[in-house]
Amino acid sequence: ADANFLEHTATPLLGELHRSNILRLETCELLEECKLDFLTVPWHASALLYMENMNRTLETMTTTISPTQDDCPLPLTSDKPISSSLHLKTPLTVSLDTVTTCLGMTTKQGNAKELPVIKCYISLPNDLWNPKDYLHHRFFTKRNLIFWHIFQHLQQRNSEIGTVQWKFASGNPRLPVMILTPRVETKKQHNNNNNTIKFQVELSLLMESIDWIPP
């Protein structure tokens, strides 16, 4: 009976809804409400300043990365050990042009108990990779060594960066990301603590391109 009811009632109604603009308009409105325009939030200037400070911190990082890091908790599963140090010809920087939207916001006003997360990345230059690094987890091992080197450097700059943690995105051991939380500045106004922290940063490492992979 339920199947017959749906067949004779719900299906035609869904068909009409699909042909109309109502579903499209409602979907667009829902997506618009869930998307935060970064430039419209009152704290976007402090967030950009935080990113610039992070880039200055990265510029002070040593450009030679050891091929062996015994304390690295990330998977180093390549078939061959990395035999030589990795050298960065230019300092790594966060791509500021990607800082346009935030996640973790269900309305334009934001959530009361959840910090918005700004997603950005560091582009790793192609000269770090060997043409055969796509084989047997070699790319992931190198990338994880670089990731851990950056993580340790940022963690040592607590006064400038704040708290630095890492996790696997979606539980995938091939997708480590850093979670950076700016230092909390507490101001006392009228005997009340005013917490000025407004965001977190999710930082990941990406390839500059796939041109280093042979055809």
Side-chain angles (χ1 to χ4, degrees), residues 142-195:
K142 279 189 178 180
R143 194 273 316 273
N144 287 349
L145 287 172
I146 298 170
F147 179 97
W148 190 243
H149 183 76
I150 297 173
F151 174 82
Q152 289 181 310
H153 178 76
L154 294 177
Q155 199 174 42
Q156 293 170 359
R157 304 301 192 276
N158 178 269
S159 60
E160 306 163 28
I161 299 300
T163 303
V164 185
Q165 300 171 309
W166 70 273
K167 68 175 184 178
F168 292 124
S170 303
N172 187 340
R174 291 187 175 184
L175 298 175
V177 296
M178 301 179 212
I179 305 297
L180 294 83
T181 306
R183 287 173 59 90
V184 176
E185 298 179 4
T186 302
K187 300 178 181 179
K188 291 187 177 180
Q189 297 179 353
H190 305 293
N191 298 324
N192 293 323
N193 288 336
N194 181 23
N195 192 338

Side-chain angles (χ1 to χ4, degrees), residues 41-114:
V41 295
W43 43 265
H44 80 276
S46 59
L48 288 177
L49 180 61
Y50 178 79
M51 299 293 184
E52 293 171 359
N53 290 338
M54 185 161 51
N55 275 339
R56 284 194 289 269
T57 302
L58 289 171
E59 290 174 358
T60 65
M61 184 177 66
T62 57
T63 57
T64 300
I65 301 173
S66 171
T68 56
Q69 298 188 30
D70 297 333
D71 61 339
C72 179
L74 303 173
L76 306 176
T77 56
S78 60
D79 60 334
K80 295 181 179 180
I82 308 300
S83 58
S84 59
S85 298
L86 303 175
H87 298 279
L88 302 171
K89 295 182 179 179
T90 57
L92 298 176
T93 58
V94 176
S95 299
L96 296 180
D97 58 342
T98 63
V99 185
T100 54
T101 58
C102 304
L103 300 180
M105 308 288 280
T106 57
T107 68
K108 292 183 178 180
Q109 288 73 32
N111 293 341
K113 296 183 179 180
E114 182 177 356

